[in-house]
């Protein structure tokens, strides 16, 4: 085993999943930079590393030092110190001030910052406020370093160490020693496997009750991420036992203990995480109560037809089905309006609003996402709010609108209901008073919600709630090949892919994934803007998968290089976040009031403070560098993540390499996101496969059964 002391100059590549990294480092005695490879996740530029490993010659990349183990040490040379401070590790010091400080104090710099920080005032232009920030940051860094050194011994990355420190602060080491599995419960991004790795090195046995408990919770959470609300008891035991490689009896004992302590809920041989049980059961009970409640306002009294259906006000003529839908909304306490693109959902919703307005009723409008709410506002001319905003959510107080403080109004209309998961639906139901009418609008043929549950489908399938399905495609919509092809695909037929000057739907045949990437870049950057005037900002690349050459991860890197190649940036987990980048939030962060699927643009990057700010719908949200795993580049997003959104132009690769994800409702959802232009790039074989593949993954939900069992 050989040793190598080096300074990190440049990070070439990092795999955020396993930490494998490629770095260029400066080594004393070597004229050129040395290539360093190994598990070095989140080691910042400027770090001084003492590495153990061996030299190897790679046939493609030449000589490199393969790291087996490493420790970070304080730099000793003027160059190393400047590089270290200039990396942004200490808030208040960027490359410029790093140079000034080191020029003043030389090799004594770190000692002075550590023991005589007030002397930093001797450096020109370094004011009192900045020095105080440096002192505070340096002290915090010392604490973090202690935590990092401790955790490094257990294979934990520096980024996770920073998160652990932010959660527990000076209690970090104590908390980890007490129960490393608690990390999986408390800290987003640290899952069971990371916690288990720490615990294993700390000497925890495979059958340890704490380990079994954490493995069971991990299994249930994994199922929830796949959309399931519960797990069959035997399925849970089997899956957890396999995951843990533990004895089945230990897993069963842990599960029994968890049921007894109400860590999980057993209900008719199925096991729930408590929030999902209470959400599903509570939603069924509240829908039941709403349906059976007596309304003092009899809306079903007939009015003049021209008044009834908005003819005198909007000039819209409604067909028989739309009129029936409007009347059904007036007659029902709860109603579902569903239909595909071009069937008049928006127009019918306008008619429902008009009919209630005629009766001088107070109407509230809501949608799951900011983008969907904005579209609803534009379509109706009335303010529509996100469900979170409607319920007056705040990080400190949660949902202010609830059973004690219900919503005020006569009618609530909620759009894009296919996106609503069971937890959000329950919080909404808790805030609806029994006198209020509820109208749910959505396309049942789209993908179900990203979160757990299949709320709209379960409500429709219960046959307990009135449903109006719009099927007629209106004449103006028939001119759109996007609309017609979406319905064709939904019916299980191959769409019309004949390109032409007047069409809004294009298919470009290409089999080679690398060529598909080049085509997509050309379409987004040049062709579509030149031909139709759409800037890249208005063009959204959607893809069935996250991984692979035409997956979202790779497409984002390629599109970023093509569209936004330079500017102030921060690197985190192998990705670069640059000013001007289009990004997406990938988890609900209630503290910041940003939610899974929200798209924004990086408008400020502060390399000194190691923060960046993202503008979401005119609201600025700040992120520290350790929080950047909540953001992904969004030049390309998966179709799943695009639900509820509409984009002027959609470009979508479709190849047999993605066959695991090629399903009819996926392609249907992708195509229906396009408002003006839709371009598919790929093979007809893959498209045909998707059209004929109606396999819909069944989700473990019981909302339908619960509705049917409530005597509605």
């Amino acid at each position: 085993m050989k040793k190598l002391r080096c300074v990190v100059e440049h990070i070439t590549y990092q795999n955020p999943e396993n930490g494998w990294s490629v770095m260029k480092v400066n080594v004393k005695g070597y004229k050129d930079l040395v290539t360093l490879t190994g598990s070095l996740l989140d080691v910042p530029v400027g770090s001084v590393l003492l590495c153990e490993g061996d030299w190897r010659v790679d046939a493609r990349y030449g000589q490199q030092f393969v790291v087996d183990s490493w420790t970070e040490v304080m730099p000793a040379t003027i160059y190393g110190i400047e590089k270290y401070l200039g990396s942004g590790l200490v808030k208040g010091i960027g490359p410029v001030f790093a140079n000034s400080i080191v020029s003043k104090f030389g090799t004594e710099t770190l000692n002075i910052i550590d023991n005589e920080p007030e002397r930093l005032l001797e450096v020109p232009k370094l004011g009192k406020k900045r020095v105080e920030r440096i002192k505070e940051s340096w002290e915090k860094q010392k604490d973090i370093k202690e935590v990092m050194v401790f955790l490094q011994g257990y294979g934990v990355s520096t980024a996770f160490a920073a998160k652990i420190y932010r959660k527990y602060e000076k209690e970090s080491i104590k908390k980890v020693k007490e129960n490393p599995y608690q990390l999986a419960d408390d800290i987003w991004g640290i899952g069971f496997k990371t916690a288990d790795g720490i615990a294993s090195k700390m000497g925890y046995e495979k059958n340890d009750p704490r380990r079994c408990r954490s493995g069971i919770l991990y299994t249930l959470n994994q199922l929830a991420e796949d959309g399931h609300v519960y797990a069959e008891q035997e399925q849970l035991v089997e899956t957890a036992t396999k995951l843990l490689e533990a004895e089945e009896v230990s897993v069963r004992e842990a599960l029994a203990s968890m049921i007894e302590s109400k860590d999980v809920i057993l209900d008719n041989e199925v096991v729930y995480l408590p929030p999902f049980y209470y959400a599903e059961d509570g939603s069924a009970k509240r829908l039941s109560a709403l349906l059976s409640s007596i309304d003092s306002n009899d809306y079903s009294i007939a009015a003049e037809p021209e008044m009834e259906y908005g003819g005198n006000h909007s000039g819209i003529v409604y067909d028989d089905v739309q009129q029936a839908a409007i009347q059904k909304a007036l007659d029902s306490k709860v109603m579902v309006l569903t239909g595909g693109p071009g069937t008049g959902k928006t127009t019918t919703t306008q008619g429902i609003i008009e009919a209630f307005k005629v009766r001088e009723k107070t109407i509230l409008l809501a949608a799951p996402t900011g983008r969907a709410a904005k579209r609803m506002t534009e379509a109706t001319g009335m303010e529509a709010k996100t469900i979170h905003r409607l319920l007056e959510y705040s990080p400190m107080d949660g949902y202010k609108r609830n059973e004690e403080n219900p919503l005020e109004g006569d009618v609530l209309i909620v759009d894009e209901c296919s996106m609503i998961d069971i937890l959000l639906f329950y919080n909404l139901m808790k805030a609806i008073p029994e006198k209020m009418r509820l109208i749910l609008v959505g396309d049942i043929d789209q993908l179900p919600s990203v979160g757990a549950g299949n709320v709209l489908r379960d409500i429709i399938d219960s046959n307990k709630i009135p449903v109006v399905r719009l099927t007629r495609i209106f004449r103006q919509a028939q001119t759109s090949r996007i609309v017609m092809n979406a319905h064709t695909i939904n019916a299980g037929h191959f769409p019309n892919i004949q390109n032409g000057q007047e069409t809004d739907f294009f298919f470009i045949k290409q089999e080679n994934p690398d060529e598909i990437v080049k085509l997509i870049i050309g379409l987004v950057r040049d062709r579509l803007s030149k031909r139709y005037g759409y800037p890249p900002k208005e063009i959204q690349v959607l893809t069935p998968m996250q991984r692979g050459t035409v997956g979202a991860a790779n497409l984002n890197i390629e599109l970023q290089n093509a569209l936004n190649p330079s500017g102030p940036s921060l690197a985190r987990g192998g990705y670069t976040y640059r000013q001007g980048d289009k990004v997406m939030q990938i988890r609900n962060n209630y503290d910041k009031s940003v939610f899974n699927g929200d798209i924004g643009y990086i408008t400020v990057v502060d390399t000194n403070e190691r923060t960046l700010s993202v503008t979401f719908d005119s609201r600025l949200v700040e992120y520290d560098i350790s929080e950047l795993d909540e953001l992904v580049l969004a030049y390309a997003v998966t179709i799943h993540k695009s639900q509820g959104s509409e984009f002027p132009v959609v470009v979508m690769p479709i190849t047999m390499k993605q066959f695991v994800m090629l399903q009819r409702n996926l392609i249907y959802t992708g195509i229906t996101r396009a408002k003006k232009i839709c371009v598919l790039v790929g093979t007809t074989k893959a498209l045909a496969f998707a059209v004929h593949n109606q396999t819909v993954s069944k989700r473990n939900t019981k909302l339908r059964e619960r509705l049917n069992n409530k005597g509605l």
Side-chain angles (χ1 to χ4, degrees):
M1 203 68 81
K2 295 177 178 64
K3 291 187 177 182
L4 194 77
R5 186 185 174 102
C6 59
V7 179
V8 179
E9 292 283 337
H10 176 69
I11 297 169
T12 308
Y13 173 78
Q14 282 185 323
N15 184 322
E17 291 184 9
N18 58 22
W20 192 81
S21 308
V22 180
M23 299 178 175
K24 294 289 186 181
V25 299
N26 202 317
V27 182
K28 190 177 180 180
Y30 286 80
K31 185 181 174 185
D32 298 321
L33 293 176
V34 171
T35 301
L36 202 71
T37 66
S39 186
L40 296 144
L41 186 60
D42 291 309
V43 171
V45 170
S47 296
V48 182
L49 305 180
L50 189 60
C51 305
E52 286 193 358
D54 283 301
W55 291 99
R56 191 181 74 188
V57 178
D58 185 272
R60 187 172 176 186
Y61 298 106
Q63 190 182 45
Q64 47 189 239
F65 190 86
V66 182
V67 177
D68 185 59
S69 63
W70 59 275
T71 55
E72 191 174 352
V73 295
M74 286 295 174
T77 65
I78 288 174
Y79 173 81
I81 293 167
E82 185 178 333
K83 196 81 178 170
Y84 181 76
L85 290 178
S87 70
L89 195 68
V90 182
K91 289 190 176 182
I93 305 180
V96 174
F97 281 120
N99 180 266
S100 302
I101 294 168
V102 174
S103 297
K104 176 71 178 172
F105 300 116
T107 55
E108 287 296 302
T109 295
L110 298 181
N111 185 44
I112 283 168
I113 296 174
D114 206 18
N115 299 306
E116 300 176 272
E118 63 281 355
R119 287 193 61 193
L120 291 172
L121 290 168
E122 297 171 24
V123 179
K125 297 182 180 178
L126 213 61
K128 279 186 179 180
K129 278 189 178 177
R130 187 174 292 274
V131 169
E132 282 302 314
R133 244 183 28 253
I134 292 169
K135 279 169 65 178
E136 189 183 323
S137 179
W138 185 258
E139 284 303 313
K140 192 175 277 188
Q141 279 302 320
K142 279 170 51 180
D143 288 343
I144 291 173
K145 281 284 180 198
E146 189 184 348
V147 174
M148 283 177 179
V149 169
F150 169 75
L151 291 172
Q152 206 176 77
Y154 299 107
V156 181
S157 75
T158 53
F160 283 151
K163 283 194 168 189
I164 292 166
Y165 180 81
R166 186 181 291 118
K167 175 71 178 177
Y168 303 131
E169 294 186 333
K170 291 183 183 293
E171 296 283 294
S172 296
I173 293 173
K174 181 187 167 193
K175 289 278 189 184
V176 174
K177 282 181 175 177
E178 281 175 356
N179 182 6
Y181 292 104
Q182 194 62 37
L183 297 174
D185 294 351
D186 292 347
I187 299 165
W188 188 83
I190 296 183
F192 167 76
K193 290 184 177 178
T194 302
D196 197 41
I198 299 168
S200 174
K201 289 178 180 174
M202 291 175 73
Y204 279 65
E205 299 292 330
K206 285 192 172 183
N207 295 312
D208 188 293
R210 291 166 294 184
R211 183 172 184 264
C212 292
R213 177 189 177 278
S214 188
I216 290 166
L217 290 176
Y218 173 77
T219 304
L220 285 169
N221 277 304
Q222 286 296 108
L223 285 166
E225 283 188 18
D226 292 335
H228 302 291
V229 177
Y230 65 82
E232 302 281 348
Q233 189 173 357
E234 289 306 308
Q235 170 203 18
L236 176 61
V237 170
E238 186 184 332
T239 307
T241 302
K242 191 176 176 182
L243 167 79
L244 294 163
E245 297 177 345
E247 293 174 8
E248 187 180 307
V249 65
S250 299
V251 174
R252 290 192 181 276
E253 284 172 2
L255 180 58
S257 171
M258 292 169 76
I259 291 167
E260 190 178 343
S261 63
K262 297 286 192 271
D263 284 342
V264 296
I265 297 202
L266 181 66
D267 183 66
N268 292 320
E269 296 307 305
V270 303
V271 182
Y272 289 82
L273 290 167
F276 294 112
Y277 173 79
Y278 294 120
E280 192 175 76
D281 189 59
S283 293
K285 285 174 176 171
R286 289 185 173 276
L287 266 175
S288 170
L290 195 60
L291 278 159
S292 59
S293 62
I294 298 168
D295 197 338
S296 56
N297 301 305
D298 188 359
Y299 297 166
S300 62
I301 299 169
E304 294 296 320
E306 69 271 13
M307 293 292 288
E308 186 75 72
Y309 306 117
N312 280 355
H313 296 265
S314 59
I316 298 168
V317 178
Y318 300 97
D319 71 8
D320 291 347
V321 179
Q322 288 176 310
Q323 288 185 29
I326 295 166
Q327 188 63 54
K328 183 66 72 177
L330 294 169
D331 293 343
S332 310
K333 280 302 300 288
V334 184
M335 173 204 153
V336 174
L337 177 68
T338 186
T343 58
K345 275 201 312 293
T346 301
T347 307
T348 307
T349 302
Q350 289 170 319
I352 291 169
I353 290 169
E354 193 65 44
F356 281 117
K357 275 186 177 176
V358 165
R359 289 163 173 77
E360 298 182 346
K361 302 302 172 188
T362 308
I363 304 155
L364 305 177
L365 305 180
T369 66
R371 285 159 291 150
K374 191 177 176 183
R375 284 208 325 274
M376 201 179 186
T377 297
E378 289 165 355
T380 62
M382 292 174 61
E383 185 189 17
K385 297 177 179 178
T386 64
I387 295 173
H388 284 90
R389 203 168 134 237
L390 179 78
L391 301 180
E392 297 175 25
Y393 176 83
S394 75
M396 293 294 290
D397 305 315
Y399 296 98
K400 289 182 184 175
R401 293 287 183 176
N402 48 40
E403 52 268 73
E404 280 86 37
N405 181 30
L407 294 166
E408 294 165 14
D410 300 306
V411 186
L412 172 62
I413 302 174
V414 188
D415 200 7
E416 293 289 357
C417 288
S418 62
M419 293 182 68
I420 301 177
D421 61 45
I422 192 66
L423 295 178
L424 184 58
F425 187 70
Y426 181 47
N427 281 302
L428 180 65
M429 290 306 304
K430 283 196 288 187
I432 297 174
E434 289 191 359
K435 66 179 180 63
M436 188 175 275
R437 303 212 170 204
L438 176 63
I439 296 159
L440 303 171
V441 183
D443 185 348
I444 194 58
D445 295 316
Q446 284 186 36
L447 291 164
S449 59
V450 173
N454 203 350
V455 174
L456 187 62
R457 171 68 67 186
D458 282 350
I459 287 172
I460 291 173
D461 289 352
S462 73
N463 294 318
K464 294 293 183 181
I465 288 158
V467 178
V468 177
R469 183 185 276 269
L470 303 174
T471 55
R472 178 191 163 198
I473 304 169
F474 281 84
R475 191 179 299 140
Q476 58 269 37
Q478 291 176 16
T479 61
S480 166
R481 201 177 286 174
I482 292 172
V483 171
M484 298 309 292
N485 277 345
H487 284 277
T488 301
I489 288 168
N490 205 29
H493 304 300
F494 194 83
N496 182 347
I497 59 169
Q498 292 180 348
N499 300 329
Q501 290 290 320
E502 303 305 316
T503 187
D504 58 0
F505 187 99
F506 299 89
F507 193 99
I508 302 173
K509 291 180 183 178
Q510 179 53 251
E511 196 165 342
N512 185 301
D514 292 323
E515 292 301 316
I516 290 173
V517 173
K518 288 177 188 174
L519 274 167
I520 289 171
I521 290 169
L523 285 162
V524 175
R525 185 182 59 195
D526 307 313
R527 290 171 62 181
L528 288 165
S529 56
K530 282 179 184 173
R531 176 70 176 85
Y532 298 102
Y534 291 107
K537 197 173 182 178
E538 294 185 16
I539 302 168
Q540 184 61 57
V541 178
L542 300 180
T543 178
M545 294 182 73
Q546 185 65 28
R547 297 179 181 176
T549 307
V550 293
N554 183 58
L555 282 170
N556 271 315
I557 292 167
E558 297 290 346
L559 286 162
Q560 183 191 46
N561 290 337
L563 300 172
N564 192 30
S566 61
S569 65
L570 292 174
R572 168 81 165 86
Y575 295 105
T576 299
Y577 299 84
R578 191 170 286 129
Q579 193 167 302
D581 277 339
K582 187 181 192 178
V583 291
M584 176 185 278
Q585 177 78 14
I586 59 168
R587 66 169 287 235
N588 289 337
N589 187 324
Y590 297 101
D591 294 330
K592 297 184 188 293
S593 290
V594 284
F595 303 98
N596 192 356
D598 286 354
I599 288 177
Y601 288 87
I602 298 173
T603 45
V604 180
V605 174
D606 191 327
T607 52
N608 284 331
E609 298 293 326
R610 305 232 299 168
T611 62
L612 58 79
S613 296
V614 181
T615 300
F616 295 99
D617 289 328
S618 74
R619 198 168 62 84
L620 206 62
V621 179
E622 186 175 279
Y623 294 80
D624 181 82
I625 191 164
S626 64
E627 300 173 304
L628 294 186
D629 55 354
E630 296 186 18
L631 293 173
V632 294
L633 294 175
Y635 298 102
V637 303
T638 61
I639 297 168
H640 279 90
K641 288 286 191 184
S642 73
Q643 287 170 264
S645 302
E646 231 179 38
F647 311 98
V649 184
V650 164
V651 178
M652 190 160 67
I654 179 164
T655 74
M656 287 307 294
K657 296 271 187 189
Q658 307 158 321
F659 78 94
V660 242
M661 296 298 295
L662 294 181
Q663 295 165 5
R664 187 186 299 173
N665 63 348
L666 187 89
I667 301 302
Y668 172 82
T669 301
I671 289 168
T672 54
R673 301 308 89 206
K675 201 172 177 182
K676 299 291 184 184
I677 304 285
C678 182
V679 184
L680 302 191
V681 186
T683 66
T684 53
K685 182 183 177 182
L687 181 56
F689 181 88
V691 168
H692 294 113
N693 183 14
Q694 210 181 355
T695 309
V696 178
S697 302
K698 185 182 177 299
R699 294 188 165 193
N700 291 347
T701 71
K702 287 189 180 291
L703 181 61
R704 177 174 65 85
E705 288 89 336
R706 292 181 188 280
L707 284 169
N708 280 316
N709 290 336
K710 298 298 175 189
L712 308 184

